[in-house]
Amino acid sequence: MPVTSVDRDLDRLTLTITAEFPVPVRRLWDAYVDPRQLEKFWGPPTWPATFTRHDVFPGGRSDYYMTGPDGSRACGYWEYLSVDECRSFEVLDGFSHDDGRPNTDLPTREAMCQIEAVVTDDSTFAADTGTQSQLLDERTVRVTRILHGTPRQVWDAHHEPELLNRWFHGPDGWALVDCRVAPAPGETTRFEWAPDDGVEGEAFALTGQLLETDPPRREVFTETMEGVDAPPTHNEQTLTAVEDGTLMTLVITYDSADLRETILGTGMVDGMEAGYRRLEAEVLTSP
């Protein structure tokens, strides 16, 4: 890390580290707000980090764990006190138990690690890389996609029936025939698709319950296929402004590793990418 100074104030119990990087401020900021990039540099090289939640807005929270060479874990959290996009953020940085609860037996802390290798990488996290999936543990997968629109535009496209009908209609030759969006936590959603005339296949529906909502930044909901005897998934979706638009992060937790592999094996990620391409073409780039 190109550190230019380290200043210690023993009276105020502060440590100020100053570093310079050969990239614009926006690129450096995006490295911190994108969990895929943050995992590349947060923590020692032998203790890589995995972020299971990353909500970069005032009142938001990030949960992560670092895995040691012997497989042991050290868990931590950030509580965001303030966020000034592309300028600064202030967090309460502490240790946590394995289930995410703050560990009050240990002190809060702050850290800064090497990031130059990440911010000078112009291709791995580019907007044109499409939908990506990453396995976080045996039951959890993180799906990410940069969408060319603002967080509010992307949020509205996922919640307004008129906009959903323009892009959320499944494979070519299928139509969204029922669209019920939960208006508040505790309410249910239902989306049903059916094939057009002459197209093979049977109608199917996804149902779920909205658990938490914080427009246009974050929502938590369950989801399951109607009529299928399988536990619902637990989904956390976050929208974060980045240089090329909005980073959509969807963390899906399945009831078992077998169920996760079964669902991913259906081509789910490819299907999501087709939908997001349609979203950009039919909604986000429309006048």
Side-chain angles (χ1 to χ4, degrees):
M1 180 173 64
V3 174
T4 58
S5 66
V6 178
D7 299 316
R8 301 172 178 85
D9 189 326
L10 299 181
D11 294 330
R12 298 176 59 192
L13 299 180
T14 62
L15 176 67
T16 302
I17 301 174
T18 304
E20 295 182 0
F21 300 93
V23 295
V25 171
R26 176 86 248 184
R27 181 67 189 88
L28 185 62
W29 179 266
D30 287 354
Y32 272 96
V33 301
D34 184 342
R36 302 170 301 168
Q37 300 184 52
L38 187 56
E39 290 171 343
K40 298 285 187 181
F41 62 83
W42 190 255
T46 58
W47 284 76
T50 299
F51 279 75
T52 57
R53 176 176 175 177
H54 194 48
D55 307 334
V56 188
F57 53 82
R61 178 185 172 98
S62 294
D63 291 314
Y64 69 93
Y65 61 86
M66 295 182 292
T67 305
D70 61 354
S72 59
R73 289 186 177 185
C75 302
Y77 70 94
W78 296 341
E79 292 181 359
Y80 290 86
L81 305 178
S82 65
V83 177
D84 186 0
E85 185 174 349
C86 282
R87 293 179 62 88
S88 67
F89 62 84
E90 180 182 1
V91 299
L92 179 66
D93 181 4
F95 294 92
S96 62
H97 296 284
D98 289 343
D99 60 3
R101 292 179 296 110
N103 187 343
T104 56
D105 294 332
L106 296 173
T108 55
R109 67 194 184 283
E110 57 184 338
M112 185 176 185
C113 301
Q114 292 190 359
I115 63 176
E116 185 173 9
V118 175
V119 298
T120 55
D121 181 353
D122 294 328
S123 60
T124 304
F125 306 103
D128 60 0
T129 54
T131 304
Q132 301 177 356
S133 65
Q134 179 182 355
L135 304 182
L136 300 185
D137 59 40
E138 65 177 10
R139 296 191 299 120
T140 306
V141 61
R142 180 172 65 211
V143 180
T144 54
R145 173 65 145 84
I146 294 180
L147 296 164
H148 296 294
T150 66
R152 170 54 68 178
Q153 290 172 327
V154 175
W155 179 276
D156 290 346
H158 281 81
H159 293 83
E160 295 185 9
E162 187 275 331
L163 297 178
L164 282 162
N165 280 316
R166 291 165 58 183
W167 73 275
F168 198 50
H169 52 71
D172 292 338
W174 287 68
L176 182 63
V177 296
D178 184 41
C179 178
R180 185 169 71 242
V181 180
E187 302 287 341
T188 59
T189 60
R190 186 177 189 274
F191 300 105
E192 181 180 354
W193 294 268
D196 296 335
D197 292 340
V199 177
E200 295 184 359
E202 297 182 357
F204 68 96
L206 293 177
T207 62
Q209 183 181 52
L210 181 62
L211 303 178
E212 302 175 30
T213 183
D214 187 0
R217 300 175 293 202
R218 182 175 185 268
E219 64 180 347
V220 183
F221 56 96
T222 63
E223 190 173 72
T224 188
M225 184 171 290
E226 192 173 78
V228 175
D229 185 19
T233 61
H234 182 273
N235 303 339
E236 299 184 37
Q237 181 163 287
T238 305
L239 303 178
T240 305
V242 294
E243 181 176 12
D244 294 311
T246 295
L247 173 65
M248 188 284 303
T249 304
L250 177 63
V251 178
I252 309 172
T253 301
Y254 296 87
D255 182 68
S256 67
D258 289 342
L259 180 59
R260 185 198 68 184
E261 290 306 304
T262 297
I263 299 300
L264 292 180
T266 64
M268 181 192 77
V269 176
D270 290 339
M272 294 177 70
E273 172 60 19
Y276 292 139
R277 288 198 301 267
R278 189 182 302 120
L279 167 60
E280 291 183 321
E282 301 296 333
V283 179
L284 298 181
T285 59
S286 298

